[in-house]
Amino acid sequence: MTAFTDFLADHAEQLDLGTLAIMRAHGTHHPEVFEIRKRYETIRDRIALANGAQPQIGDELTRIRDLTNGYTIPDDACPTLAATYRMLEEAHRIYESANEGR
């Protein structure tokens, strides 16, 4: 496994529950969370299919970064939204670090 897949494996339950919770709690005022959840599910599924190899999910992470305006935590964010954005940002940082120079 890679550092990226290790990170996501360690945080899988938190990210799964977090993306679902923020979609339900903040979807009305932050409709982007619906696509964030969809993109996260795509990432999760690609990791499962990669069998331990580094999955190609850079486009998904970039789209999440764009949707969150660079992982900016909204002023009306609950602790779950803030924690979820921070985990996604860290996952993105690890992924980019692992793929530098490729």
Side-chain angles (χ1 to χ4, degrees):
M1 283 206 148
T2 66
F4 173 76
T5 54
D6 287 346
F7 178 86
L8 283 185
D10 290 345
H11 295 87
E13 185 175 351
Q14 292 168 296
L15 281 166
D16 195 52
L17 292 173
T19 56
L20 183 60
I22 65 172
M23 186 180 71
R24 290 178 176 166
H26 294 280
T28 302
H29 298 294
H30 297 283
E32 69 276 5
V33 297
F34 292 103
E35 189 172 347
I36 291 167
R37 170 68 181 184
K38 180 181 165 192
R39 299 289 178 152
Y40 168 72
E41 288 174 329
T42 299
I43 291 168
R44 183 190 62 201
D45 294 347
R46 286 185 184 169
I47 289 170
L49 293 171
N51 293 322
Q54 178 84 351
Q56 296 303 309
I57 47 88
D59 290 345
E60 301 301 324
L61 288 167
T62 297
R63 183 66 182 133
I64 291 172
R65 182 185 61 210
D66 293 347
L67 288 165
T68 61
N69 192 29
Y71 302 102
T72 301
I73 298 168
D75 292 336
D76 61 345
C78 68
T80 300
L81 189 145
T84 301
Y85 277 25
R86 282 190 208 105
M87 281 185 279
L88 290 167
E89 181 177 27
E90 182 65 8
H92 195 166
R93 187 195 64 74
I94 293 168
Y95 183 84
E96 284 186 333
S97 177
N99 288 289
E100 283 181 351
R102 286 188 185 184

